[in-house]
Amino acid sequence: MTRDPAASGPAPSEAGGVLTIDLGALVANWRLLAARAPGAECAAVVKADAYGTGIEAAVPALARAGCRTFFVAHIAEGRRARAAAPQADIYVLNGLPPGSGPAFAAERLRPVLGSAEEIAEWAAFTRAEGLDLKAALHVDTGMNRLGLAVADAVAMGERGLEGCPVGLVMTHLVSAEEPDNPLNARQIAAFAAVREAFPSLPGSLANSSGAFLGEAARHDLIRPGYALYGGNPQPGRPNPMRPVIGLEGRIVQVRWVEAGDTVGYNAQWTAQGRRRVAVTSVGYADGFPRAASSADDRAGADAIVGGARCPFAGRVSMDLIAIDVTDAPPGVGRGDPVSLLNPAITVDDVAARAGASGYEILTSLGRRYARRYLD
Ligand SMILES: *Cc1c(COP(=O)(O)O)cnc(C)c1O
């Protein structure tokens, strides 16, 4: 067990919450995804601080396991990934901001180019510098977000790259987590046409959920993010991934409330009988979603206290969550741990109770936690 030297969090004994990040599970998830894509390379998407888990810990663990290609969103993230993986190919998904060529060159970062302007700028910059640093070409097959339109990409073809160094052509799925959505087949067909226009470039289509769409979605390189961190790539079906994140808060105070008493801001939760309530030192300022609050007409998230599953009582506040521990062992009290994320209550479970996305919960993981990394 190690503490990440780059983590700026407090000591576990003083923290409101302790976040445990299981790097062994992260690596096992990467291996599982790699095994799902035989013949293809498995990259890792580590944007947004490796989905909140910490680039400085996640990237070296994945690189040691054999991951050679990483995707980030921003140049600054790319710089941190570079320090953690000196040999890797690192792509920057959000493209080439005007004039940023030198920043890419300094860290050997590869822009993901999605427009004629970006292609022209990267071509001119690399030519002027005599730099052979291959970018990726992003083609938009349906998201209407980033990338060249399919027709423009096909019209351009490989010759149209005009000396712009490109080593990968990619697109991104819109609804890969819905295997029956007809958009998947449309995007897969469109990308096949794009590949024909760039016959010498390897291709990449699948994100986490895309890796579960079968061989037509595989191509040469898969780009999972969410599933690496334990998220379920197949919602509604058993999760094949290992949980990576654990979160424990600490009981600050336990109190009894009487029938009819309310708990928390705006009196949203009313005790239906005499209840014991444990107030825990984690709140929405730690990134725990306020939408996971409970109310008289709505179940919120649960926690595990003294081995018992216990429901939230009222609103999640900034630094505290009240939990109905009436059914927990009578001895639980001040200083005892409260498990908010664990193998039985996953990020996906909290997301479902909060009406949120598990991606959002992961990437909101707070800076106030003490972080503990398991190897
Ligand atoms: C974020 C992202 C991914 C990873 O998606 P997950 O659903 O987290 O696996 C892959 N490709 C692109 C272009 C992305 O933006």
Side-chain angles (χ1 to χ4, degrees):
M1 199 176 288
T2 53
R3 250 188 108 211
D4 173 16
S8 55
S13 61
E14 297 181 358
V18 177
L19 193 66
T20 302
I21 295 154
D22 186 342
L23 297 174
L26 173 73
V27 163
N29 288 339
W30 180 79
R31 293 207 168 103
L32 188 146
L33 290 159
R36 286 205 61 84
E41 181 184 344
C42 186
V45 180
V46 295
K47 60 194 181 189
D49 201 20
Y51 288 52
T53 66
I55 282 181
E56 282 73 16
V59 168
L62 291 164
R64 273 196 300 277
C67 183
R68 302 188 308 275
T69 304
F70 295 89
F71 289 84
V72 295
H74 297 163
I75 296 169
E77 294 172 347
R79 205 170 277 131
R80 289 170 57 196
R82 171 57 72 218
Q87 306 300 325
D89 290 348
I90 300 171
Y91 289 97
V92 177
L93 288 164
N94 279 15
L96 181 71
S100 61
F104 280 85
E107 303 288 346
R108 282 172 297 122
L109 304 177
R110 298 163 180 255
V112 177
L113 307 173
S115 67
E117 295 95 312
E118 288 188 342
I119 293 167
E121 184 169 332
W122 188 245
F125 174 74
T126 52
R127 194 181 309 117
E129 300 291 316
L131 184 68
D132 184 25
L133 182 57
K134 290 186 168 58
L137 182 66
H138 197 165
V139 180
D140 193 312
T141 54
M143 184 82 89
N144 281 317
R145 198 177 61 172
L146 291 179
L148 291 178
V150 171
D152 294 343
V154 169
M156 170 188 281
E158 230 162 84
R159 293 172 45 133
L161 288 174
E162 283 177 21
C164 181
V166 172
L168 182 72
V169 59
M170 58 175 268
T171 191
H172 192 38
L173 291 164
V174 173
S175 300
E177 74 285 2
E178 299 167 13
D180 300 327
N181 192 314
L183 266 175
N184 292 321
R186 258 188 269 159
Q187 289 191 274
I188 285 169
F191 193 55
V194 169
R195 294 288 312 272
E196 281 178 29
F198 298 90
S200 71
L201 292 186
S204 175
L205 168 67
N207 64 339
S208 296
S209 298
F212 292 79
L213 291 179
E215 201 183 336
R218 193 174 300 153
H219 294 272
D220 301 302
L221 180 139
I222 63 170
R223 308 185 309 271
Y226 190 53
L228 289 174
Y229 310 101
N232 189 354
Q234 301 178 288
R237 301 177 58 182
N239 188 355
M241 314 316 298
R242 276 175 54 181
V244 171
I245 303 292
L247 174 60
E248 238 176 40
R250 199 167 26 79
I251 296 178
V252 180
Q253 184 177 351
V254 174
R255 69 195 311 123
W256 285 94
V257 296
E258 303 301 328
D261 284 352
T262 64
V263 172
Y265 281 118
N266 305 109
Q268 301 277 299
W269 183 92
T270 313
Q272 299 304 308
R274 190 160 192 265
R275 309 299 292 174
R276 192 166 48 128
V277 172
V279 180
T280 302
S281 58
V282 167
Y284 63 74
D286 299 292
F288 203 92
R290 186 166 175 276
S293 299
S294 81
D296 289 337
D297 56 358
R298 178 184 183 285
D302 295 334
I304 293 177
V305 185
R309 194 170 175 126
C310 301
F312 284 15
R315 288 239 158 115
V316 172
S317 48
M318 187 184 292
D319 316 297
L320 298 166
I321 299 172
I323 295 164
D324 179 349
V325 296
T326 314
D327 298 331
V332 301
R334 174 172 166 253
D336 285 345
V338 171
S339 177
L340 293 161
L341 290 170
N342 50 63
I345 302 174
T346 64
V347 168
D348 284 300
D349 295 331
V350 173
R353 291 289 176 92
S357 143
Y359 289 68
E360 195 179 332
I361 290 174
L362 273 182
T363 56
S364 303
L365 291 172
R367 293 276 124 216
R368 294 205 289 191
Y369 297 130
R371 290 180 169 231
R372 196 158 59 187
Y373 288 93
L374 309 180
D375 291 317

